[in-house]
């Protein structure tokens, strides 16, 4: 029974890596953004290949606008994965889900910088936060409500 369970876990983890393997993530971030680098490490640990470019604030804001990310959904870094925009500290598992489901949409956003989100560190007071699906018309709806890392 025990070995069966371990085999199942190995299968489950290799399956989730297969979803991300070889997927390239292009991310733009502000110079010296520590939480952005935390998110990049999180994505790399999940099997994504990350290419990071440091830009100044205005250039990043312009990139968000160009990609169709609403101002009220904005966060720090902005990424592109498989044709989708990923704004802020979105968990890798939800990026996996997006790439599997392939909705007709701009992408995902974790607005602001939620405590306990990947790259933001654990926080005992962190509250659940919403990851939004951004529509091509600029509308947003909840894609998932995430339980934060409370440490
Ligand atoms: Cu951040």
């Amino acid at each position: 029974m025990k070995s069966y369970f371990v085999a199942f876990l190995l299968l489950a983890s290799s399956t989730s890596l297969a979803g991300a393997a070889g997927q390239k993530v292009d991310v733009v971030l502000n110079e010296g953004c520590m939480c952005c680098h935390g998110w990049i490490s999180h994505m790399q640990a999940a099997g994504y290949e990350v290419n990071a470019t440091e830009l100044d604030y205005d250039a990043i804001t312009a990139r968000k606008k160009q990609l169709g990310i609403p101002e009220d959904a904005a966060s720090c870094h902005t990424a592109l994965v498989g044709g989708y925009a990923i704004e802020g500290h979105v968990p890798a598992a939800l990026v996996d889900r997006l790439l599997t489901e392939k909705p007709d949409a701009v992408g995902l956003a974790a607005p602001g910088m939620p405590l306990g989100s990947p790259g933001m560190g654990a926080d005992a007071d962190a509250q659940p936060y919403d990851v939004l699906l951004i529509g091509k018309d600029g509308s947003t709806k909840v894609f998932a409500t995430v339980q934060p890392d409370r440490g």
Side-chain angles (χ1 to χ4, degrees), residues 43-136:
M43 293 299 284
Q44 288 169 332
Y48 287 90
E49 217 176 282
V50 183
N51 175 39
T53 307
E54 290 185 340
L55 295 176
D56 64 23
Y57 179 83
D58 289 345
I60 291 175
T61 303
R63 178 71 60 92
K64 293 181 198 305
K65 198 170 177 187
Q66 177 205 342
L67 290 172
I69 294 158
E71 267 174 54
D72 56 3
S75 176
C76 39
H77 53 271
T78 302
L80 261 181
V81 187
Y84 290 104
I86 306 293
E87 175 71 8
H89 295 261
V90 176
L94 293 181
V95 178
D96 294 348
R97 191 183 134 196
L98 180 79
L99 296 176
T100 303
E101 293 180 2
K102 293 185 172 56
D104 185 28
V106 167
L108 298 176
M113 313 235 287
L115 290 175
S117 61
M120 289 299 293
D123 189 292
D125 297 324
Q127 298 300 310
Y129 60 94
D130 288 337
V131 167
L132 307 176
L133 182 71
I134 306 167
K136 289 191 167 161

